[in-house]
Amino acid sequence: MPETPSPATAQAGLDPRRWKALAFIAIAQLMVVLDATIVNIALPSAQTDLGISDANRQWVITAYALAFGGLLLFGGRIADMWGRKRAFVTGLVGFAAASALGGAASGEAMLLAARALQGAFGALLAPAALSLLAVMFTDGKERAKAFGIYGAIAGGGGAIGLILGGVLTEYLDWRWTFYVNVPFAVVAALGAASVIREPSGTRNRSALDIPGVVLSTLGLVSLVYGFTRAETDGWSEGGTIGMFVAAAVLLGAFALVESKVRAPLLPLRVVTDRNRGGVYLSLGLAVIAMFGLFLFLTYYLQVVKDYSPVRTGVAFLPMVVGMITGSTQIGARLMNRVPARLLMAPGFLTAALGMLLLTQLKVDSSYPALILPAMVLLGLGLGTAFMPAMSLATHGVRPSDAGVASAMVNTSQQVGGAIGTALLNTIAASATTSYVTSHVGEATSKPAQKMLQLEAMVHGYTSAIWWAVGILLVSATIVTVFVNARGEGNQAAQKKLDGETDGDTPGGEPEPVLAAMH
């Protein structure tokens, strides 16, 4: 039976089924985010089972990252053109099919193909999910609540993936880290098909910018692969340098093309706005620190502290709880009352404080005394910062640009994750080698050599974590300098008082922006 809208809802022009839609969008977003880390814990088992060589095992992660990161802008524009609901459901169905293929993989080639397909459909699904929120939730208070939930999932999903990956790998089989996506996707697709109603007049019906698609895809693939290659082959290796040079040339050409064509894939107004540009940059940097932390703490707990995969996953729970609390109880409650920078900058500083605690890690460090409070601070800080960042990243854009603006959020996260894994892992490995070299003469027995190895590993982790502290401080600085948006509750009213319009509208005609659609 159709849901009857209340008089207030009807008057405001809001979709009465938007909260039900949010539930299914949240399920889909959780599936995409946790997939970035859930496979990491299962990788050793999959490698053994399928006979994947050490040289090729990285491609299980890299194939997904390249397809996802390279196709995000294309996926975002397809959602704008084709319809976000249609792109969302298609992405879900494709992601489920690719996940089933990965779970049933009988060899290396089949698994790598499945991971690439997951990335491709994820690149369609992720921007469609965020842009649906942007066009469905236009009331300031409701937008804060919706993006609070979305921000908590975006921040905590990676840690949830570590927990779920540990449980599935230890008690079932590595294949279930793929199969688990199928019920998520089926529920989200069926729910979305029945309750999501995309607002009319929000599509971008311009012709597709083919040169922009080619240049952006090749440029982003080169950039992500460059950082992935740097981790395995070194920063000075010819192929690594070649990838970075290619990325610079291709992305530079992309920016030039976008400034000239009539209907660009990525309108430069989306990224040159100081608030959105500040959000994309600060968010990408914060993800560098966060992904590095996941990597080091996972190894520290399993290798140094000898935790099982499940116990390691559970150890991340305080961080997840902190993220949910920071996003839904701090960020969402205050977003309409204070400027976004007064949430984001303190959030990044709080996360930096948690990271600073982890620089004190030792081989025998206590989980309750050191790691637990650090994780709580990290979760609270990142959750508080991510929530307004997710909302501000699509706030004020034309409805027809919502998909590509959402894709930029995911692009900054994806590139940040690639940089974080490569850069911080390289720093840690170098510090570990230096420590062993300078202390090798002190280890004269097997127990002493074992302890030296563990101490060197922890020294490498803490050296890299110091860099992560600095990166979070830079994120806070960028937010303070660039982000000047008022609280979202009064932005639309202020725009009307100031007579503001989007100055890029062709012909000088004012076009409604998302902030004022209601």
Side-chain angles (χ1 to χ4, degrees), residues 18-19 22 132-139 142-143 146-147:
R18 62 197 178 282
W19 291 107
L22 173 62
L132 277 171
L133 287 190
V135 299
M136 293 178 73
F137 289 89
T138 54
D139 175 77
E142 290 193 350
R143 184 179 172 91
F147 276 87

Side-chain angles (χ1 to χ4, degrees), residues 137-199:
F137 289 89
T138 54
D139 175 77
K141 291 184 179 179
E142 290 193 350
R143 184 179 172 91
K145 293 178 183 177
F147 276 87
I149 294 169
Y150 188 92
I153 292 171
I160 294 172
L162 295 173
I163 299 168
L164 191 57
V167 171
L168 293 174
T169 302
E170 189 164 334
Y171 293 114
L172 291 173
D173 186 81
W174 66 266
R175 297 180 183 276
W176 281 96
T177 61
F178 288 90
Y179 289 142
V180 73
N181 291 326
V182 176
F184 276 121
V186 169
V187 169
L190 292 176
S194 63
V195 304
I196 289 180
R197 186 179 65 198
E198 188 175 349

